[in-house]
Amino acid sequence: MAEAALDAVRRELREFPVAARELSVPLAVPYLDEPPSPLHFYRDWVCPNRPCIIRNALQHWPALRKWSLPYLRWGLPWAGCGRCFGASRAELIVPSSRATVGSTEVSVAVTPDGYADAVRGDRFVMPAERRLPLSHVLDVLEGRAQHPGVLYVQKQCSNLPTELPQLLPDVEPHVPWASEALGKMPDAVNFWLGEAAAVTSLHKDHYENLYCVVSGEKHFLLHPPSDRPFIPYELYTQATYQLTEEGSFRMVDEEAMEKVPWIPLDPLAPDLARYPSYCQAQALRCTVRAGEMLYLPALWFHHVQQSHGCIAVNFWYDMEYDLKYSYFQLLDSLTKVSGLN
Ligand SMILES: O=C(O)CCC(=O)C(=O)O
């Protein structure tokens, strides 16, 4: 009897993603030709938890004209004209020093294979973190220097204002129509610059994400939260890559850290023998090009690849922990306890 009830729950869980998709998941990520008003953004995209790509939302950013690998190397701090944090132009143009942006040290995630924060074997592995002058990362990206492994400037704790404040006058500190719609300012503004081999493994965040590509392209593979019953999670011991003096990598366990649930599956080459349910999930793929902004709703699963030297900035707005969030937690718990994956 108990087994029959459990089977019924599993059947419902398998049918749920299909029904949800029919009701509200688009076949492709739609484009908007201009930024929506706060009301339309909230009503048509945030509330229904639907992604979209917004064109013509960044043309007023000086970054769109200025940012390139040479600019990141040679640009002078505060040399741009500013619409930043309400500061007056006069305040922004006062040079703090004559140092170039390229001479600024930034945190760089270094991995042997391009996968930071990903399952490798029976571990969840975090990248080695290096402090390098941005110009050294650019040398590697441009093939003028070598560095072991794959480099990705991607510290996700507002590294744009904290590590590269010189670049702030080239962007806006937030997305005004999104801040108004969501009734808050972003928790983090992140800067991303990396090699083509740098890949972000499939995961989800509790953020409403406005992801802006300034140069190059990002390739997103997405799953709606409703696909959770088909997406496997396992519990992993955490480890961190260490880069030795000789330039080789070793994994070191983080003994003091608790095990972490993570998705073991690579959606580009899913192991369907091990995770057969995943073949019932349906990914949406999209490419976000320079000048475009992806609205990636909270709790959507995403896997990200990029063109070599792609430069991007994203804004993370904390999600509302509302009934939608609670329903997702229920789906997550039922998937786990029913042993569906
Ligand atoms: O750009 C990337 O590589 C990953 C972006 C991402 O995971 C995020 O914005 O949450």
Side-chain angles (χ1 to χ4, degrees):
M1 177 59 195
E3 199 46 41
L6 202 55
D7 272 347
V9 172
R10 290 194 191 113
R11 198 169 46 248
E12 292 295 333
L13 285 169
R14 277 192 220 100
E15 283 169 11
F16 174 78
V18 181
R21 201 175 298 136
E22 275 169 18
L23 274 178
S24 70
V25 181
L27 293 173
V29 179
Y31 283 87
L32 306 188
D33 284 333
E34 55 185 33
S37 66
L39 172 66
H40 278 110
F41 180 54
Y42 197 79
R43 193 173 60 192
D44 299 343
W45 308 99
V46 179
C47 203
N49 194 246
R50 296 178 77 218
C52 61
I53 296 175
I54 304 151
R55 291 188 167 131
N56 299 312
L58 313 176
Q59 307 107 307
H60 58 291
W61 284 18
L64 214 58
R65 280 172 279 110
K66 289 161 76 176
W67 288 9
S68 61
L69 302 190
Y71 177 76
L72 294 182
R73 184 188 294 279
W74 299 116
L76 284 174
W78 315 115
C81 80
R83 289 187 45 179
C84 176
F85 293 96
S88 74
R89 191 181 159 88
E91 279 169 312
L92 290 168
I93 292 177
V94 177
S96 56
S97 77
R98 298 302 292 170
T100 57
V101 178
S103 62
T104 312
E105 270 202 358
V106 290
S107 305
V108 186
V110 190
T111 52
D113 55 1
Y115 282 78
D117 298 338
V119 172
R120 288 301 182 242
D122 59 357
R123 294 286 187 271
F124 168 76
V125 195
M126 295 169 281
E129 201 175 293
R130 280 279 177 281
R131 299 279 307 167
L132 298 174
L134 186 58
S135 59
H136 187 67
V137 178
L138 296 167
D139 284 342
V140 174
L141 283 169
E142 292 179 331
R144 300 179 199 204
Q146 295 207 324
H147 192 286
V150 177
L151 305 187
Y152 200 4
V153 179
Q154 59 115 356
K155 201 169 168 66
Q156 298 156 42
C157 56
S158 258
N159 63 342
L160 182 63
T162 58
E163 295 196 338
L164 289 163
Q166 311 93 314
L167 295 178
L168 284 173
D170 294 344
V171 301
E172 271 190 309
H174 66 128
V175 182
W177 42 268
S179 304
E180 192 176 334
L182 299 167
K184 59 184 83 160
M185 294 295 277
D187 273 5
V189 184
N190 301 315
F191 175 89
W192 308 78
L193 167 68
E195 300 185 58
V199 175
T200 297
S201 72
L202 191 65
H203 71 285
K204 62 169 168 46
D205 302 301
H206 51 82
Y207 291 114
E208 306 291 357
N209 191 344
L210 287 154
Y211 199 105
C212 310
V213 176
V214 176
S215 168
E217 296 182 346
K218 286 268 174 178
H219 309 289
F220 285 82
L221 182 151
L222 308 175
H223 283 286
S226 51
D227 267 355
R228 171 65 184 94
F230 301 143
I231 296 181
Y233 271 85
E234 285 178 26
L235 264 188
Y236 292 94
T237 298
Q238 304 197 50
T240 305
Y241 283 120
Q242 274 188 5
L243 186 51
T244 64
E245 290 291 312
E246 302 78 49
S248 59
F249 289 85
R250 62 192 191 102
M251 267 184 214
V252 178
D253 281 353
E254 296 290 349
E255 313 275 355
M257 286 183 164
E258 285 193 4
K259 285 193 171 192
V260 65
W262 204 261
I263 300 168
L265 176 133
D266 177 356
L268 302 180
D271 182 347
L272 295 177
R274 193 156 174 191
Y275 307 110
S277 296
Y278 183 70
C279 68
Q280 294 173 69
Q282 266 183 32
L284 260 77
R285 290 169 186 257
C286 66
T287 294
V288 186
R289 300 188 168 80
E292 295 178 344
M293 178 192 284
L294 170 68
Y295 165 56
L296 177 60
L299 303 178
W300 274 63
F301 298 93
H302 48 291
H303 171 281
V304 191
Q305 294 171 283
Q306 60 196 331
S307 59
H308 195 69
C310 176
I311 311 171
V313 169
N314 79 324
F315 299 85
W316 271 341
Y317 290 83
D318 203 8
M319 71 177 293
E320 283 304 311
Y321 295 93
D322 56 8
L323 203 57
K324 220 169 11 177
Y325 173 78
S326 302
Y327 282 139
F328 178 79
Q329 292 303 101
L330 178 65
L331 181 66
D332 187 53
S333 308
L334 287 174
T335 303
K336 271 187 250 172
V337 297
S338 69
L340 203 63
N341 52 46

